[in-house]
């Protein structure tokens, strides 16, 4: 059974940092593209980063580019999202998702992914 578990969320002041983790069981993340998404209250879920199974392809929309960094640790079967310079508008529930794919693809589209975690809350507030 595939399970993705996000952790690392919490309350942080504007300008602060958090590192989210997406730990997998039932699959080996080395063979999966991973996406990070977020959903703010009253808004649609949006893609904010992804990384191909090879780690060679990454994606960030303009809203987080230069502030967020996705990475993967094969030894821990975990993907991370380092979030710096956080803003109040980054407040949302953050989800990770996985899809078996070629080594050089990932997507910011929700429909592309088969496996989802339950999410972790990130609140940016003073």
């Amino acid at each position: 059974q595939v399970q993705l578990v996000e952790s690392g969320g919490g309350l942080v002041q504007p300008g602060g940092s958090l590192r989210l983790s997406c730990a997998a069981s039932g699959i080996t993340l080395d063979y999966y593209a991973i996406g990070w998404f977020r959903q703010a209250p009253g808004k649609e879920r949006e893609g904010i980063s992804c990384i191909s199974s090879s780690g060679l392809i990454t994606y960030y929309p303009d809203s987080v580019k230069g502030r967020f960094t996705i990475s993967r640790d094969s030894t821990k079967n975990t993907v991370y999202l380092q979030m710096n310079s956080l803003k109040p508008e980054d407040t949302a529930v953050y989800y990770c998702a996985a899809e078996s794919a070629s080594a050089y693809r990932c997507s910011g589209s929700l429909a592309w992914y088969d496996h989802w975690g339950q999410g972790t809350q990130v609140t940016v507030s003073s």
Side-chain angles (χ1 to χ4, degrees):
Q1 183 179 358
V2 177
Q3 187 174 21
L4 301 175
V5 179
E6 302 93 338
S7 62
L11 174 63
V12 64
Q13 292 186 342
S17 298
L18 285 174
R19 188 180 76 160
L20 305 184
S21 299
C22 173
S25 59
I27 57 173
T28 301
L29 288 186
D30 283 355
Y31 303 111
Y32 284 76
I34 304 298
W36 280 99
F37 296 80
R38 67 185 181 188
Q39 187 166 19
K43 295 187 177 181
E44 294 185 351
R45 195 172 298 190
E46 62 172 341
I48 57 169
S49 185
C50 70
I51 186 167
S52 63
S53 59
S54 67
L56 296 178
I57 304 298
T58 58
Y59 157 79
Y60 306 95
D62 288 344
S63 58
V64 306
K65 192 175 295 182
R67 300 189 297 124
F68 291 9
T69 303
I70 192 170
S71 62
R72 54 198 313 150
D73 185 338
S74 299
T75 64
K76 297 182 178 179
N77 209 30
T78 299
V79 173
Y80 301 100
L81 184 68
Q82 178 67 44
M83 306 188 298
N84 298 328
S85 302
L86 283 162
K87 305 175 182 180
E89 52 262 44
D90 294 318
T91 295
V93 179
Y94 284 68
Y95 302 87
C96 65
E99 170 63 25
S100 60
S102 72
Y104 305 104
R105 291 183 65 196
C106 70
S107 173
S109 171
L110 280 72
W112 203 68
Y113 295 89
D114 280 344
H115 309 291
W116 289 83
Q118 294 301 305
T120 185
Q121 176 70 47
V122 171
T123 302
V124 185
S125 175
S126 56

